[in-house]
Amino acid sequence: MDFAFWFAAALATFFVGMSKGGLPMVAMLGVPILSIFIAPAAAAGLLLPMYILADCYGIYLFRGSFSARNLCILIPATAIGILLAFLFISRIPVPATKLLVGAIGLGYLIDALRKRLRQDFRAKPADVPRGLIWGALAGFTSYVSHAGGPPFQAYTLPQKLPKMTFAGTATILFACVNWMKLPPYILAGQVTLNSLSQIAVLAPLALLGAWSGFRVTKWLPEKVFFTLVNAALLAVSVKLLWEGATGWS
């Protein structure tokens, strides 16, 4: 491995950590950066243990800031989605999943814009039926293409949670999702002893990124924070729609 790979791996690892510190808008950068040098599946496998390591620190950072009701609904729902993805992964074209997730994110943003133009600012409370559907989609798409964010955001953003509660809920939920994804990733050969040796070198950057992300999240004004979240959701959605539309060849 040359210097360019290690620089890209270090940068991707730092961004992974920042996303677990409360800045989900940078999570989309990790796999694409590494995919310049290695296959996307290998990049996802290399970064998954980094997510898990940063998750542990993220859970500590947000131990007092999360929505228990949302977690009680979403954790079982994401487990269902991961199980379905594991059982049917060979029958589901990845481009189709990307199109679905991109459409979900874009659909939410269009609906949010429509409500803003109508000046409809009412918060929508957490509820079990919607939570089970969106949570299962988040687990399913996270397993297939590391794209669980848009379904999660489509469910939680309308609740208008405080920024630290939103960030903490996301961090703790996807920590659980990543732990549930680890055994099938090992079975698929995406996490190997070789990747674990690379992870040992990069681990401090994941923790530094998580700490940095937490500090920036606390510092950002709430309106700016959610503007960035929505901007990131738009970018991820457009990226997934493009990849889905061009990935059938």
Side-chain angles (χ1 to χ4, degrees):
M1 298 291 181
D2 57 16
F3 173 79
F5 166 80
W6 283 107
F7 179 79
L11 194 61
T13 300
F14 184 75
F15 284 146
V16 164
M18 288 195 76
S19 73
K20 295 304 178 180
L23 294 175
M25 60 285 294
V26 300
M28 62 178 285
L29 300 174
V31 172
I33 289 173
L34 265 183
S35 296
I36 298 171
F37 299 94
I38 58 178
L46 177 62
L47 288 179
L48 180 60
M50 290 301 180
Y51 275 107
I52 291 173
L53 177 63
D55 284 333
C56 295
Y57 189 36
I59 289 172
Y60 170 76
L61 291 172
F62 288 102
R63 61 194 181 278
S65 303
F66 58 88
S67 168
R69 175 167 173 76
N70 273 303
L71 290 177
C72 288
I73 295 170
L74 291 172
I75 290 174
T78 53
I80 293 170
I82 290 170
L83 177 61
L84 290 173
F86 177 70
L87 293 175
F88 298 106
I89 184 67
S90 62
R91 305 179 188 179
I92 303 162
V94 172
T97 302
K98 291 185 176 182
L99 285 172
L100 172 63
V101 179
I104 287 170
L106 204 58
Y108 162 75
L109 290 170
I110 291 171
D111 184 61
L113 178 61
R114 179 182 61 82
K115 289 180 178 177
R116 179 170 291 276
L117 292 175
R118 291 172 52 190
Q119 296 189 334
D120 182 0
F121 301 113
R122 292 170 297 176
K124 184 178 291 187
D127 64 275
V128 174
R130 290 176 57 254
L132 289 176
I133 294 170
W134 289 116
L137 276 171
F140 186 94
T141 55
S142 179
Y143 182 91
V144 174
S145 60
H146 289 290
F152 168 80
Q153 291 169 3
Y155 174 64
T156 53
L157 284 175
Q159 298 176 31
K160 302 188 183 302
L161 299 170
K163 68 172 181 178
M164 298 303 286
T165 302
F166 171 84
T169 303
T171 296
I172 295 170
L173 173 67
F174 285 105
C176 296
V177 168
N178 289 330
W179 275 106
M180 288 186 282
K181 286 159 53 177
L182 183 59
Y185 268 57
I186 293 174
L187 290 174
Q190 290 176 259
V191 177
T192 64
L193 289 176
N194 181 53
S195 67
L196 289 176
S197 66
Q198 296 168 343
I199 288 160
V201 176
L202 298 168
L205 285 169
L207 299 177
L208 177 62
W211 179 83
S212 301
F214 181 75
R215 301 303 300 179
V216 172
T217 300
K218 289 191 71 174
W219 170 75
L220 279 175
E222 191 140 327
K223 186 174 181 179
V224 174
F225 175 82
F226 283 110
T227 298
L228 291 174
V229 170
N230 282 320
L233 179 58
L234 175 61
V236 171
S237 299
V238 171
K239 175 177 179 290
L240 289 170
L241 286 170
W242 173 257
E243 290 180 356
T246 59
W248 293 94
S249 58

